[in-house]
Amino acid sequence: MTRGTYYLTTPIYYVNANPHVGHAYTTIMTDIVARHHRQLGEDVFFLTGTDEHGAKVAQAAVAAGRSPKEHADQLSERFRALGAELDATNSFFIRTTDDAHKAEVQRLLTIMHERGDIYRGSYGGWYCVACETFYNEGDLADSRTCPIHGTAVEWMEEDNWFFRLSAYRDRLLAWYDEHPDLVIPTARRNEARRMIEDGLEDLSISRGQIDWGIQVPWDPEQVIYVWVDALFNYWTALQYGAGADGTRFWPPDLQVMAKDILKFHAVIWPALLMSAGLELPHRLAIHGYVLKGGEKMSKTTGNLVDPFPFIETYGLDALRYYLAREIRFGEDGTFSAEGFHQRYTTELANEFGNLLNRTVNMVTRYRDGVIPPDRGRDAALADEIHARITAVRGALGDTDITRAVDEAWVLVRRLNRLVEERTPWTLAKDPDRTEDLDQVLHSLCEGLRAVAVLLWPVMPGSCTRAMQALGEVPGEMAIHRAEWGTGVGGGTVVVGEPLFPRVEGLPE
Ligand code: ME8
């Protein structure tokens, strides 16, 4: 039997400034889904990378006193390092300055040109360099500023190449109607559909005034508009970054991003693909903003949170968990050092870490470390575990990452209640209740293994350690290992360091 493939992507990040928690957020959320699909036994290809051309990057390079390429090399490395630091399991890291990417973008553009979708025209409009896009007068915020960044826009007038985006209106609407859950959440889908319905203007897809970009194949005076160059990365990466027959992964099963780039992905991207004759993605999952002090965390606003101090103080898994749980996937959410500390202490250290610790200690004290056999007295818990697995799978199938963590956490709390209700320390004093004690210890180990498997995509390091503490083979995180009765059986627990040691908080 061939394994099903699953292809998922993050946006490729601009190399105009250092990565921050906003980028970490998207990469972590996508990694959670990637890991989950590997647990399901699928052949997963997970792509991330950097977007390196365009005016924005060229200007940042000038400001840093470097050539665009030197600047891009340096910054791209930081994004790559961030991914590694976050334990992101991306299969490839694309750079739009890769020669193979450039050649493939040129090939696609030639196809679009040959089919008559690209023509020469002139255009004048208000340009926001931070967005790398034109705005109509009516879209601008007060005093002619960008509606997203609040920064000044510039009038730009050019003679360049245009893509007949307007000609794709009906095909795009039909595609939306045929695929009702293509863009999630629904509010974003409706927003994107409205943009199409309200009418689309043709898109200027080349620039004559800058040279930091990919040359238009039939016009050496012009470079390809950075967004067209960037969007095609999702296709080009498979041509040279996914081994032989990389295109078997096409089309993307899931593309994750924040709402700032909804129009590019939900309107322009599908039209480009139609024009290039390529299949369209199955799902675009649009998440909200990570806010700091009530505002979107962004390079332009400057209210950035550096993820590294949090990783150093609390550990990487705490950051992954906090972002997945605190910021409801699809909605805006606030990052706060205080909230982070609170969740770390109550949920990770007390509810999860301490539960594992107590369980391992009790098995050690009362049963010499050997997990006792199932005495067949906990069918209800076995059912509950099965229900949790179904719920977590369902939530991740809907790309509702926060709900998946919530569903898994129901089991963590259920197991804590089990300890309180059955008080194993009382059972241990009563020779007539040996089997009851066996059962509660067995049930806790079963339940904790399920928790470790279900939360492994979110907290890979800690859940692997939890599996080791339970005497399990830590590498085996396939989803079926969460089911009751799939443990190694008669295993020996291993007393170790706490999963989430107590820490002093970081200053807000
Ligand atoms: O837009 N909250 O790159 P970019 C949540 N190069 N997510 C955030 C965030 C925040 N405060 N800040 C950034 C670009 N992000 C283009 C994309 S794709 C073909 C080209 C994340 O560096 C989020 O995923 O501005 C957002 O969509 C992306 O970074 C924008 O990154």
Side-chain angles (χ1 to χ4, degrees):
M1 211 177 77
T2 52
R3 288 199 297 165
T5 59
Y6 195 86
Y7 177 30
L8 73 178
T9 67
T10 71
I12 49 171
Y13 306 115
Y14 282 129
V15 290
N16 64 325
N18 282 330
H20 57 74
V21 163
H23 304 110
Y25 177 75
T26 310
T27 300
I28 292 170
M29 296 308 113
T30 314
D31 187 55
I32 291 172
V33 181
R35 286 174 180 269
H36 174 69
H37 280 272
R38 290 201 194 94
Q39 287 188 302
L40 299 180
E42 291 170 358
D43 185 8
V44 172
F45 195 80
F46 166 19
L47 181 69
T48 188
T50 43
D51 183 357
E52 308 189 6
H53 292 126
K56 181 167 167 147
V57 172
Q59 284 181 4
V62 169
R66 287 191 286 259
S67 75
K69 183 64 168 65
E70 281 167 353
H71 181 76
D73 285 348
Q74 208 175 86
L75 271 288
S76 177
E77 228 16 78
R78 292 194 197 148
F79 279 91
R80 196 196 293 270
L82 174 74
E85 211 54 60
L86 299 175
D87 240 346
T89 54
N90 54 296
S91 321
F92 187 60
F93 186 94
I94 189 170
R95 299 185 56 185
T96 54
T97 48
D98 292 343
D99 286 338
H101 166 80
K102 294 195 265 188
E104 183 63 10
V105 170
Q106 288 181 322
R107 192 184 71 84
L108 294 173
L109 217 73
T110 307
I111 295 175
M112 294 166 62
H113 189 217
E114 281 169 359
R115 67 186 283 166
D117 273 347
I118 295 177
Y119 64 93
R120 185 94 186 171
S122 57
Y123 192 79
W126 296 103
Y127 199 76
C128 169
V129 174
C131 294
E132 291 276 18
T133 194
F134 280 108
Y135 285 102
N136 292 322
E137 184 84 40
D139 298 329
L140 297 177
D142 292 343
S143 57
R144 273 206 189 120
T145 52
C146 164
I148 293 190
H149 295 95
T151 44
V153 290
E154 321 167 15
W155 180 259
M156 259 181 46
E157 228 168 75
E158 275 202 352
D159 195 24
N160 39 37
W161 296 97
F162 282 76
F163 169 55
R164 284 187 209 285
L165 180 60
S166 59
Y168 283 89
R169 180 179 182 273
D170 293 347
R171 272 171 281 180
L172 286 171
L173 289 175
W175 179 59
Y176 267 78
D177 293 342
E178 284 158 21
H179 303 90
D181 53 4
L182 163 88
V183 179
I184 57 163
T186 315
R188 296 287 162 223
R189 172 194 185 271
N190 295 341
E191 191 181 331
R193 201 181 182 288
R194 253 193 325 272
M195 292 176 197
I196 302 165
E197 244 169 9
D198 289 351
L200 297 176
E201 285 180 32
D202 288 351
L203 180 73
S204 154
I205 56 150
S206 70
R207 297 284 181 270
Q209 288 172 11
I210 60 166
D211 57 6
W212 179 234
I214 305 175
Q215 217 174 61
V216 173
W218 60 89
D219 180 357
E221 298 298 308
Q222 299 256 331
V223 297
I224 299 168
Y225 174 38
V226 60
W227 265 104
V228 172
D229 162 356
L231 284 164
F232 276 130
N233 92 87
Y234 303 128
W235 162 264
T236 63
L238 297 185
Q239 312 307 305
Y240 65 100
D245 194 22
T247 45
R248 74 182 189 282
F249 289 105
W250 193 262
D253 293 280
L254 178 70
Q255 304 207 265
V256 182
M257 73 210 69
K259 58 190 176 183
D260 51 346
I261 51 180
L262 174 71
K263 183 173 181 190
F264 292 103
H265 285 81
V267 180
I268 297 171
W269 172 226
L272 290 173
L273 288 173
M274 286 175 182
S275 175
L278 297 173
E279 245 186 283
L280 272 49
H282 292 314
R283 175 171 291 171
L284 307 176
I286 316 297
H287 62 70
Y289 291 148
V290 182
L291 308 174
K292 171 78 187 165
E295 271 193 86
K296 180 191 175 201
M297 198 181 286
S298 85
K299 297 165 214 170
T300 317
T301 324
N303 56 342
L304 303 177
V305 174
D306 178 356
F308 291 107
F310 287 88
I311 297 175
E312 270 161 36
T313 308
Y314 295 95
L316 167 65
D317 284 347
L319 176 70
R320 292 175 62 109
Y321 172 82
Y322 175 73
L323 290 174
R325 193 135 202 226
E326 178 67 28
I327 296 159
R328 287 216 73 83
F329 192 78
E331 295 170 25
D332 291 351
T334 295
F335 188 101
S336 89
E338 206 176 49
F340 194 115
H341 187 75
Q342 175 82 25
R343 279 203 188 269
Y344 179 83
T345 308
T346 13
E347 294 167 10
L348 293 180
N350 289 349
E351 294 178 357
F352 183 16
N354 203 23
L355 174 72
L356 178 73
N357 207 27
R358 287 171 95 182
T359 301
V360 166
N361 284 334
M362 289 190 291
V363 173
T364 305
R365 187 173 324 137
Y366 304 136
R367 294 292 181 263
D368 290 329
V370 180
I371 300 171
D374 188 0
R375 299 293 179 186
R377 298 174 186 195
D378 249 341
L381 184 65
D383 290 346
E384 169 77 15
I385 290 176
H386 183 71
R388 287 301 111 218
I389 299 169
T390 309
V392 170
R393 287 184 65 164
L396 287 173
D398 295 341
T399 328
D400 190 339
I401 294 158
T402 311
R403 177 153 61 88
V405 185
D406 291 347
E407 296 287 7
W409 215 261
V410 172
L411 183 56
V412 174
R413 294 202 168 137
R414 173 86 178 74
L415 298 174
N416 275 294
R417 279 204 311 280
L418 196 85
V419 177
E420 297 313 317
E421 285 162 11
R422 301 211 200 152
T423 56
W425 47 93
T426 320
L427 299 176
K429 290 186 193 135
D430 186 346
D432 295 336
R433 316 257 339 243
T434 307
E435 291 205 358
D436 285 335
L437 180 59
D438 279 352
Q439 186 64 58
V440 69
L441 296 177
H442 183 88
S443 296
L444 288 170
C445 291
E446 287 287 329
L448 277 163
R449 190 186 65 251
V451 167
V453 173
L454 292 177
L455 288 173
W456 174 77
V458 182
M459 297 187 280
S462 311
C463 290
T464 300
R465 286 172 51 214
M467 284 295 254
Q468 282 163 332
L470 294 166
E472 291 287 334
V473 186
E476 284 192 25
M477 289 292 184
I479 197 80
H480 76 269
R481 298 296 314 283
E483 295 282 1
W484 185 274
T486 61
V488 290
T492 309
V493 297
V494 182
V495 181
E497 295 295 305
L499 280 190
F500 303 102
R502 306 229 163 255
V503 293
E504 296 296 321
L506 279 174
E508 179 81 60

